[in-house]
Amino acid sequence: MCWLKKFGRELVLIGLGGVALSGLFACREPNAIQKETRFIMGTVCTIQIPGPPAVARRAMAGRRAVREAVEKAFARLEECDQKFSVFIPSSPVCRFNQQGIPIDDPEIVALIAQACEVSRLSQGAFDITVYPLVELWGFYSGKPRRPAPEEIAAARGKIGWQHLVITNGQVTKKNAAVQIDLGAIAKGYAVDAAMQVLLQNGIHDALIEAGGDIFALGQRNQKPWKIGIRHPRQPGLLDTLEVSDRAIATSGDYEQFFIADGARYHHIFDPRTGYPATNLMSVTVIGANATLADAWSTALFVLGLEKGMKLVEEGAVRAEVLMLTSQGRALSSPGLKTIPGP
Ligand code: ADP
Ligand code: MG
């Protein structure tokens, strides 16, 4: 962590999970009146509320209210986990997967509809029915392995977002073998949901992070939030962004991976091949909401540089993006304003 010091105390780092982030808050945010990290949705979640200057802070009667708001926001993250998890047997998603029970929770139905829209726009690069592939490659069990080609072919036969049917407020499946995994969109959704809870409780400045998906609400001490995006391979930053009321999500080949025979295999799959997508090292999406930023970071990661940038240029993505190719070339959309590194 020592090298962080040279970037100063205002910078928040993302891109390699949240553990370093929480450490950063703990040691480098003296003005925070509330900062807390919990393990939810299988990842590190942090909420930070920046504090006013010391004098105002002493006089502030609302500290307890802030603490309660943060508690409610964490409860919302927990609630999202209970709804969307593929691991919790009572979750509607798990019951849909294991027993074929239709999903009728309006919140989940709406999220699945959003996921299917990203599938449509990305021509299937994004597909929440990748569950059989994620399972086959061992990313659920924590024992990843390279499957045989025939196993991959068999898993691909169970994949296809068109097998999902959304009618009358219900999600059902046309093919009983279909199973869904909201891992590429639910964390972003949970971040948006927690952000709404903070707003409803009178908090207008906050940073919420769940496993690399961020919402930077308002400002940090009267200035935009400064977010550093870590380089996936080297110590140091790929870029630094100044944002206010913006979501930032990153997908990369470095969060969950293994190396076999010199090749890197990770947890973001091209549903059309059944293998991990290979065009990019990372994609960061900066947009108005974390749900779509999360989904599109995964979708663009699969699509790769040219097809991905084309969708951004055509306006299908409605966000700014930063891509790092597998050769190490960084490219951003024309509207992305980065600030010089510290
Ligand atoms: P992370 O969860 O590491 O932040 P992502 O948001 O990109 O990264 O989500 C990756 C997860 O999404 C995988 O663990 C898997 O559960 C699921 N997934 C993998 N490939 C796809 C895909 N092509 N479309 C939708 N979901 C995917
Ligand atoms: Mg994602």
Side-chain angles (χ1 to χ4, degrees):
M1 290 288 291
C2 277
W3 61 271
L4 293 179
K5 283 189 183 145
K6 71 179 163 145
F7 298 117
R9 72 163 56 124
E10 291 190 348
L11 191 70
V12 174
L13 295 178
I14 59 163
L16 277 180
V19 179
L21 189 66
S22 62
L24 184 74
F25 289 160
C27 63
R28 307 208 61 83
E29 185 48 87
N31 279 343
I33 51 172
Q34 180 76 29
K35 62 180 187 310
E36 187 145 344
T37 296
R38 295 188 195 169
F39 196 76
I40 307 171
M41 300 181 290
T43 193
V44 176
C45 299
T46 302
I47 298 178
Q48 181 188 352
I49 316 292
V55 178
R57 192 149 40 111
R58 271 198 297 278
M60 207 172 113
R63 281 186 85 163
R64 187 144 156 244
V66 170
R67 219 168 287 138
E68 281 171 13
V70 169
E71 200 53 51
K72 285 182 192 161
F74 273 119
R76 188 73 171 100
L77 293 176
E78 291 276 5
E79 186 189 14
C80 288
D81 194 19
Q82 296 293 324
K83 283 194 183 196
F84 303 126
S85 173
V86 292
F87 299 112
I88 299 171
S90 59
S91 82
V93 167
C94 216
R95 284 149 44 102
F96 178 80
N97 285 347
Q98 307 304 335
Q99 300 161 50
I101 297 173
I103 296 175
D104 54 15
D105 179 318
E107 194 175 19
I108 310 175
V109 175
L111 187 62
I112 291 174
Q114 266 193 296
C116 289
E117 178 62 5
V118 176
S119 298
R120 190 182 65 77
L121 291 168
S122 68
Q123 295 187 329
F126 186 86
D127 192 330
I128 56 171
T129 65
V130 289
Y131 183 104
L133 274 179
V134 186
E135 185 175 47
L136 177 68
W137 283 78
F139 284 102
Y140 293 132
S141 65
K143 289 185 194 139
R145 66 175 184 107
R146 193 173 42 175
E150 20 330 331
E151 291 179 289
I152 293 173
R156 280 182 53 215
K158 302 174 190 166
I159 292 173
W161 62 278
Q162 291 93 340
H163 295 308
L164 299 172
V165 184
I166 308 176
T167 41
N168 302 327
Q170 266 202 340
V171 182
T172 52
K173 43 183 156 179
K174 284 187 205 160
N175 173 346
V178 166
Q179 293 178 297
I180 60 169
D181 172 350
L182 294 167
I185 188 168
K187 282 203 301 284
Y189 181 82
V191 165
D192 282 336
M195 186 269 290
Q196 288 298 336
V197 169
L198 292 180
L199 275 178
Q200 283 154 13
N201 285 272
I203 307 250
H204 298 277
D205 300 305
L207 193 88
I208 308 170
E209 199 241 350
D213 292 346
I214 281 193
F215 200 95
L217 180 64
Q219 298 188 317
R220 182 193 175 283
N221 299 339
Q222 286 78 53
K223 289 185 194 142
W225 290 93
K226 252 188 218 179
I227 310 286
I229 301 163
R230 283 187 175 158
H231 196 289
R233 298 285 192 274
Q234 304 155 13
L237 297 181
L238 181 59
D239 229 322
T240 304
L241 309 167
E242 275 190 329
V243 286
S244 194
D245 296 324
R246 279 284 168 281
I248 302 177
T250 299
S251 288
D253 65 2
Y254 53 92
E255 290 281 359
Q256 291 187 47
F257 70 93
F258 64 97
I259 308 275
D261 298 331
R264 176 185 283 258
Y265 298 97
H266 58 82
H267 69 317
I268 303 174
F269 294 96
D270 186 333
R272 298 155 298 189
T273 65
Y275 284 83
T278 51
N279 296 315
L280 298 168
M281 271 192 230
S282 76
V283 175
T284 298
V285 175
I286 301 99
N289 77 74
T291 310
L292 285 177
D294 190 7
W296 276 112
S297 69
T298 309
L300 296 174
F301 186 92
V302 175
L303 283 170
L305 182 67
E306 278 166 29
K307 287 185 184 154
M309 280 297 185
K310 190 162 176 279
L311 280 191
V312 177
E313 278 159 26
E314 287 170 0
V317 180
R318 284 200 265 151
E320 301 299 337
V321 302
L322 172 65
M323 297 187 183
L324 187 68
T325 68
S326 41
Q327 287 77 39
R329 207 156 57 99
L331 291 112
S332 58
S333 53
L336 187 71
K337 304 260 180 300
T338 59
I339 53 171

